[in-house]
């Protein structure tokens, strides 16, 4: 039972909570829209890939940095912004991240050369931290009974925004100027920031009073840049080239020193002791494989749809048509995410996570059997993204059930980073396979049917490995509940205030009860 003094402290510290109860749906919608906007920026330039060298009168090698810069900025921003959210307020950080998201779009819209375009895309990449911050913020502003579904819905925006972005950007580029696409993105980012400012309440920072680990942030940034450059540019530089080897070796050394520092500093950027808890550790490892599994399909399906039918297996679709065939799969994530949330309430997020990766593996099986038809790609995409919807919604629920409130945002940011590393690794491996298994079409090497089949088989295998890892995630009751400090008490959720008035509440009963104890 929560004592009256504690209830008084919560009431004094959270004056906004009374109005939060009346509009959780609006809060969820606002945070989901931020996730869609952030994810949209990741795929909005995809239809421009073949056009960029001509637009900026440069080489294709130079234009690849337009994509690499976004990837690097996102990888660095996500864990650091998560920690800043714990220190200074999650809503505040979401609003701050909306600034580079909008500014980056404006820079891209007016970019006179490839260098300015790269700068703009890097700024847009910084906005990727909005999604894990939004997920973490749900724990503070959404009633307990809606929390699992809310987490699943906002998590699903990572895939839905990317899928929706492809046909929209393809249509804009085909019927208008590509610069309009970025002007529109800037306007949408500004409107979403205004919506969040008006609708989403501010809550006290979970780690208020702690210091920011600047050394840890710098070390993590350096290690991630070296690792991602080594992985993403390995094919172009050569996997045995001195530059690639130097980057990967530097990543190993920097991460070793970073880990040493994080274990010895008082207020680490990422609490490695918390991430070492089996429940958190295994979830993060599985997240890498899920990220790989999701991204492999998004690399294969559009290529098969767009390749010339002269190959015998390509489907000869335009960029716009291919995007439209892929869009329903992204929308499926939004449709199924609340279902996954309710499933987590009844059976626990581990069950939902396991079901998701099994469905993901089945989706690759469907693709292997039906890849010769556009409807087969559509069906496979629906199955794959159904699995991703369940898995992506369950991962944050598991993480947040095992960490204290003062680490909610940073833990979610780290989990998102693990997914991103999975997609980066997946992109590199898929690129290697498809580059090695080709046929000649009009004097140009294109991926062979056997190459696509190999990638799909690898995707299925990766999903099976993820399922095995998920099966070993321990139930919440096997680990001691995270220690709760006075600082953690000050950021109790709406549900805490509601249930504190009842004598039936037990200590710790607000930590995702429906989403954790049944694992």
């Amino acid at each position: 039972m929560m004592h009256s003094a504690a209830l008084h402290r919560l009431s004094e510290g959270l004056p906004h909570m009374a109005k939060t109860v009346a509009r959780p749906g609006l809060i969820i919608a606002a945070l989901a829209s931020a996730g869609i906007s952030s994810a949209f920026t990741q795929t909005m330039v995809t239809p421009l890939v073949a056009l960029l060298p001509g637009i900026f009168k440069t080489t294709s090698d130079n234009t690849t940095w337009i994509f690499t810069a976004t990837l690097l900025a996102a990888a660095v921003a996500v864990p650091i912004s998560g920690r800043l959210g714990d220190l200074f307020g999650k809503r505040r950080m979401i609003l701050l991240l909306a600034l580079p998201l909008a500014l980056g779009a404006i820079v891209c819209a007016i970019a006179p050369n490839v260098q300015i375009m790269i700068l703009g895309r890097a700024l847009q990449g910084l906005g990727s931290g909005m999604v894990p911050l939004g997920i973490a913020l749900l724990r503070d502003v959404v009633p307990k009974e809606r929390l699992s579904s809310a987490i699943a819905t906002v998590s699903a925006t990572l895939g839905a925004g990317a899928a929706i972005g492809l046909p929209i950007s393809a249509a804009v580029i085909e019927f208008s100027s590509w610069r309009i696409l970025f002007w529109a993105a800037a306007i949408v980012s500004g409107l979403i920031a205004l919506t969040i400012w008006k609708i989403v309440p501010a809550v006290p920072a979970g780690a208020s009073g702690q210091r920011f680990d600047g050394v840890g942030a710098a070390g993590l940034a350096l290690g991630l840049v070296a690792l991602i450059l080594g992985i993403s540019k390995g094919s172009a530089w050569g996997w045995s080239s001195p530059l690639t080897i130097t980057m990967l070796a530097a990543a190993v050394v920097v991460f070793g020193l970073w880990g040493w520092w994080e274990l010895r500093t008082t207020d680490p950027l990422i609490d490695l002791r918390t991430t070492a808890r089996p429940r958190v550790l295994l979830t993060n490892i599985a997240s890498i494989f899920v990220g790989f599994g999701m991204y492999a399909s998004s690399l294969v399906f559009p290529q098969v749809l767009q390749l010339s039918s002269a190959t015998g297996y390509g489907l000869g679709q335009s960029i716009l048509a291919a995007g439209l065939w892929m869009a329903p799969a992204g929308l499926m994530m939004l449709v199924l995410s609340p279902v996954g949330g309710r499933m987590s309430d009844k059976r626990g997020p581990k069950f939902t996570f396991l079901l998701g990766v099994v469905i993901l593996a089945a989706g690759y099986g469907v693709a292997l059997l039906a890849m010769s038809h556009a409807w087969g790609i559509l069906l496979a995409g629906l199955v794959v993204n159904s699995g991703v919807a369940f898995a992506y919604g369950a991962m944050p629920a598991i993480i947040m059930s095992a960490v204290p409130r003062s680490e909610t945002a940073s833990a979610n940011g780290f989990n998102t980073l693990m997914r991103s590393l999975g997609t980066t690794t997946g992109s590199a491996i898929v690129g290697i396979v498809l580059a090695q298994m080709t046929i000649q079409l009009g004097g140009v090497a294109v991926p062979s049917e056997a190459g696509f089949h190999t990638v799909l088989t690898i995707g299925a295998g990766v999903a099976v490995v993820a399922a095995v890892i998920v099966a070993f995630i321990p139930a919440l009751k096997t680990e001691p509940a995270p220690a709760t400090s006075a600082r953690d008490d000050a950021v109790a959720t709406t549900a805490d205030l509601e249930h504190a008035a009842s004598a039936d509440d037990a200590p710790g009963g607000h930590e995702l009860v429906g989403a954790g104890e049944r694992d």
Side-chain angles (χ1 to χ4, degrees):
M1 181 185 301
M2 183 176 292
H3 296 295
S4 58
L7 176 57
H8 177 73
R9 185 174 67 249
L10 290 172
S11 301
E12 289 294 318
L14 299 173
H16 64 277
M17 284 302 184
K19 65 179 182 179
T20 303
V21 180
R23 56 181 190 181
L26 289 177
I27 293 172
I28 295 168
L31 294 175
S33 66
I36 291 175
S37 176
S38 176
F40 176 81
T41 64
Q42 303 297 316
T43 56
M44 64 187 294
V45 296
T46 301
L48 282 172
V49 171
L51 305 176
L52 287 172
I55 290 172
F56 294 114
K57 296 179 175 56
T58 187
T59 65
S60 58
D61 286 341
N62 287 335
T63 58
T64 59
W65 284 99
I66 292 174
F67 303 89
T68 304
T70 310
L71 183 68
L72 290 173
V76 172
V78 165
I80 294 177
S81 62
R83 180 57 178 165
L84 290 172
D86 285 330
L87 290 171
F88 304 111
K90 305 176 189 71
R91 174 179 174 269
R92 178 180 297 175
M93 281 306 304
I94 291 174
L95 293 174
L96 286 175
L97 289 176
L99 293 178
L101 195 66
L103 178 60
I106 294 173
V107 171
C108 290
I110 63 175
N113 53 52
V114 69
Q115 291 83 5
I116 300 300
M117 186 73 171
I118 291 171
L119 173 62
R121 288 294 291 166
L123 288 170
Q124 285 189 296
L126 295 177
S128 297
M130 296 172 72
V131 179
L133 281 166
I135 294 171
L137 182 57
L138 291 171
R139 187 182 189 182
D140 299 330
V141 298
V142 173
K144 180 184 64 177
E145 63 272 12
R146 298 194 61 174
L147 186 55
S148 295
S149 292
I151 290 171
T153 298
V154 178
S155 295
T157 61
L158 289 168
I164 294 169
L166 185 59
I168 291 177
S169 57
V172 171
I173 292 166
E174 183 169 336
F175 299 111
S176 184
S177 168
W178 64 271
R179 295 184 186 273
I180 291 178
L181 186 66
F182 289 96
W183 283 117
I187 294 171
V188 170
S189 297
L191 291 175
I192 289 174
L194 179 62
T195 301
I196 291 175
W197 179 62
K198 287 288 189 181
I199 292 177
V200 180
V203 297
S208 179
Q210 297 182 21
R211 67 177 183 85
F212 178 68
D213 180 14
V215 174
L220 181 62
L222 289 173
L224 287 172
V225 169
L227 177 63
I228 292 174
L229 281 178
I231 294 175
S232 62
K233 291 293 185 180
S235 295
W237 294 341
W239 290 104
S240 59
S241 71
L243 185 54
T244 301
I245 293 173
T246 298
M247 285 292 176
L248 295 177
V252 173
V253 173
V254 171
F255 279 134
L257 293 173
W258 174 77
W260 176 85
W261 171 264
E262 292 296 280
L263 289 172
R264 284 159 177 77
T265 191
T266 304
D267 297 319
L269 180 76
I270 296 173
D271 191 336
L272 295 182
R273 292 179 177 85
T274 298
T275 60
R277 292 174 180 170
R279 189 170 172 83
V280 179
L281 177 64
L282 292 177
T283 300
N284 282 329
I285 294 174
S287 298
I288 298 174
F289 289 91
V290 174
F292 186 127
M294 181 204 73
Y295 202 61
S297 65
S298 67
L299 292 175
V300 170
F301 294 166
Q303 290 192 67
V304 174
L305 286 166
Q306 294 176 61
L307 273 176
S308 170
S309 57
T311 60
Y313 52 89
L315 302 178
Q317 303 286 319
S318 67
I319 294 177
L320 177 57
L324 291 173
W325 280 109
M326 295 289 293
L331 294 175
M332 179 62 75
M333 293 186 67
L334 287 179
V335 172
L336 286 183
S337 57
V339 177
R342 289 191 291 270
M343 188 184 303
S344 293
D345 282 335
K346 293 180 179 179
R347 304 291 301 271
K350 176 182 173 180
F351 174 85
T352 308
F353 196 178
L354 183 58
L355 178 63
V357 291
V358 169
I359 294 174
L360 176 61
Y364 279 104
V366 172
L368 285 166
L369 296 174
M371 194 178 72
S372 57
H373 303 281
W375 62 262
I377 296 292
L378 171 62
L379 178 60
L382 290 172
V383 177
V384 165
N385 277 27
S386 296
V388 173
F390 289 149
Y392 268 32
M395 284 186 281
I398 296 175
I399 294 292
M400 287 197 287
S401 70
V403 302
R405 292 187 188 280
S406 58
E407 299 177 25
T408 302
S410 59
N412 268 298
F414 190 74
N415 179 252
T416 302
L417 174 62
M418 293 299 101
R419 301 186 215 178
S420 298
L421 291 179
T423 61
T424 303
T425 304
S427 176
I429 292 176
V430 169
I432 293 171
V433 172
L434 296 184
Q436 295 298 317
M437 305 179 72
T438 63
I439 63 170
Q440 292 294 315
L441 180 65
V444 177
V446 297
S448 67
E449 185 175 19
F452 287 129
H453 283 171
T454 299
V455 171
L456 294 174
T457 302
I458 293 172
V462 165
V464 171
V465 172
V468 173
I469 296 171
V470 173
F472 283 95
I473 295 176
L476 185 61
K477 62 183 180 181
T478 63
E479 293 184 22
T484 303
S485 65
R487 181 171 54 244
D488 292 338
D489 286 339
V491 288
T493 64
T494 302
D496 290 332
L497 286 177
E498 292 175 329
H499 293 291
S502 169
D504 297 330
D505 282 347
H510 312 294
E511 295 289 331
L512 284 176
V513 174
E517 292 182 350
R518 295 184 180 88
D519 285 358

